[in-house]
C-alpha cells in the first residue's frame, strides 16, 4: 500500500531564509510525487511533481523539490522565503494505478 | 483560475435539508473527484468518476450522493447530513484516473456547515 508522511505539522521561518518542508513516502513500485499548496479559504494548487528523470524538480513560485530514492523523501525547498509563502503544504504520492494519497499537511509560517 | 469551478463557495444547511454542490471543469479532463477536507485530518477521497462512470466509493455514507451527467460536470447531493459532515468539499479533475503522472487539479472548494 502506498502512504505519505509529513513529519512536521508546523514550520516557521524568517523571511529571506531558506525553507524546507519535509515529505517521506512508501510505495511498492515507482513513486510519482506531487506538492500542492493551499492558501486560506482556497483549494489546493499544484506546485510541482516528480515523474522520472532529474531528481531536482523545479515548480511554481520559486519552489523546488528533491527526490531521494534511498531516503524515500521528496522535500520541498525554496532558497529565500517570502511572507506570502505562508500557507498549508501537501505532499502526495501515486503508485501505479492507485489513486493519489495525500499527507496530512504542513503549515508554513514565514515571519517578516 | 484553476479551470475547476465550484458552487456555492459557502453553504449552511440544516440537518433535514436537501442541497447540492456543483462542480464544472473546463480542462477537457475525463476523470472527476470529490474530496472532503476536515480540520486536522488528511484529505479524504469520497468519489471518483472516470468517463462519467463511478469507479470508486470509499465507504461514504449514503447521505452523500454523487452525480456525473457528463465529463465536465459533477454534483454532490446532500440530504439529512450530520454536524460532523461540516467540512470543505473539494472537487478535482484529471485527464485520466489511472495514469500515474497525471496531475489532479482542484477547485476552490465549497465550505459546508451543517447546523
Amino acid at each position: 500500500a502506498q502512504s505519505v508522511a509529513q513529519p512536521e505539522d508546523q514550520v516557521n521561518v524568517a523571511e529571506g531564509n531558506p525553507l524546507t518542508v519535509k515529505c517521506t513516502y512508501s510505495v511498492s513500485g515507482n513513486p510519482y510525487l506531487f506538492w500542492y499548496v493551499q492558501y486560506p479559504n482556497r483549494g489546493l494548487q499544484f506546485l510541482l511533481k516528480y515523474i522520472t528523470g532529474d531528481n531536482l524538480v523545479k515548480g511554481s513560485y520559486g519552489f523546488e523539490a528533491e527526490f531521494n530514492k534511498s531516503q524515500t523523501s521528496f522535500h520541498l525547498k525554496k532558497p529565500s522565503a517570502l511572507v506570502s509563502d505562508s500557507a498549508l503544504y501537501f505532499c502526495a504520492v501515486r503508485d501505479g494505478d492507485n489513486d493519489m494519497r495525500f499527507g496530512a499537511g504542513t503549515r508554513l509560517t514565514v515571519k517578516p | 483560475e484553476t479551470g475547476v469551478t465550484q458552487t456555492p463557495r459557502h453553504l449552511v444547511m440544516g440537518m433535514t435539508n436537501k442541497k447540492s454542490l456543483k462542480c464544472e471543469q473546463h480542462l477537457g479532463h475525463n476523470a472527476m473527484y470529490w474530496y472532503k477536507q476536515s480540520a486536522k485530518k488528511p484529505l479524504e477521497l469520497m468519489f471518483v468518476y472516470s468517463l462519467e462512470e463511478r469507479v470508486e466509493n470509499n465507504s461514504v455514507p449514503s447521505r452523500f450522493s454523487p452525480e456525473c451527467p457528463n465529463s465536465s460536470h459533477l454534483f454532490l447531493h446532500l440530504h439529512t447530513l450530520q454536524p460532523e459532515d461540516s467540512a470543505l468539499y473539494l472537487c478535482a479533475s484529471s485527464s485520466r484516473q489511472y495514469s500515474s503522472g497525471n496531475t489532479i487539479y482542484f477547485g476552490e472548494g465549497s465550505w459546508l456547515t451543517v447546523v
Side-chain angles (χ1 to χ4, degrees):
Chain A
Q2 59 182 8
S3 65
V4 60
Q6 293 180 243
E8 300 157 317
D9 291 338
Q10 174 86 36
V11 170
N12 298 314
V13 298
E15 188 175 30
N17 283 0
L19 70 87
T20 299
V21 183
K22 295 180 180 178
C23 172
T24 59
Y25 65 90
S26 174
V27 298
S28 56
N30 291 322
Y32 298 85
L33 296 153
F34 302 78
W35 275 103
Y36 287 83
V37 60
Q38 186 177 32
Y39 297 103
N41 300 315
R42 306 291 294 276
L44 273 67
Q45 184 175 339
F46 170 70
L47 274 180
L48 52 81
K49 66 181 177 184
Y50 171 81
I51 304 301
T52 187
D54 194 347
N55 289 344
L56 185 64
V57 179
K58 293 187 184 296
S60 306
Y61 311 121
F63 283 94
E64 57 189 30
E66 185 167 12
F67 171 65
N68 188 317
K69 188 173 183 178
S70 63
Q71 296 185 4
T72 62
S73 67
F74 189 56
H75 300 332
L76 181 69
K77 299 181 180 183
K78 188 173 182 180
S80 179
L82 300 172
V83 172
S84 57
D85 293 329
S86 298
L88 192 55
Y89 290 81
F90 291 93
C91 182
V93 65
R94 178 182 268 157
D95 169 16
D97 289 344
N98 293 312
D99 283 309
M100 196 176 285
R101 183 68 58 94
F102 288 84
T106 298
R107 185 163 300 281
L108 172 68
T109 301
V110 181
K111 298 182 178 178
Chain B
E1 177 58 49
T2 66
V4 181
T5 303
Q6 289 188 242
T7 55
R9 293 294 315 279
H10 298 271
L11 177 63
V12 179
M13 60 185 289
M15 288 189 283
T16 58
N17 291 160
K18 288 185 180 180
K19 297 286 185 182
S20 296
L21 305 180
K22 179 183 175 182
C23 176
E24 183 175 1
Q25 59 95 359
H26 310 274
L27 301 170
H29 289 165
N30 292 319
M32 296 189 76
Y33 311 76
W34 279 115
Y35 284 87
K36 178 183 177 182
Q37 186 178 24
S38 305
K40 302 189 177 181
K41 285 186 177 181
L43 220 59
E44 299 174 45
L45 178 62
M46 299 176 72
F47 300 103
V48 181
Y49 277 83
S50 181
L51 297 172
E52 303 158 43
E53 289 190 14
R54 189 163 75 188
V55 296
E56 192 161 340
N57 171 359
N58 288 304
S59 303
V60 177
S62 59
R63 57 186 183 266
F64 295 93
S65 175
E67 178 189 2
C68 187
N70 55 60
S71 60
S72 298
H73 293 86
L74 184 65
F75 295 89
L76 187 62
H77 303 302
L78 317 167
H79 68 97
T80 59
L81 295 191
Q82 304 299 311
E84 60 265 28
D85 296 323
S86 298
L88 178 66
Y89 289 84
L90 292 163
C91 176
S93 71
S94 67
S95 57
R96 286 184 295 168
Q97 182 195 2
Y98 292 123
S99 181
S100 302
N102 280 350
T103 301
I104 293 179
Y105 294 92
F106 287 84
E108 298 286 16
S110 292
W111 283 99
L112 173 66
T113 302
V114 181
V115 296

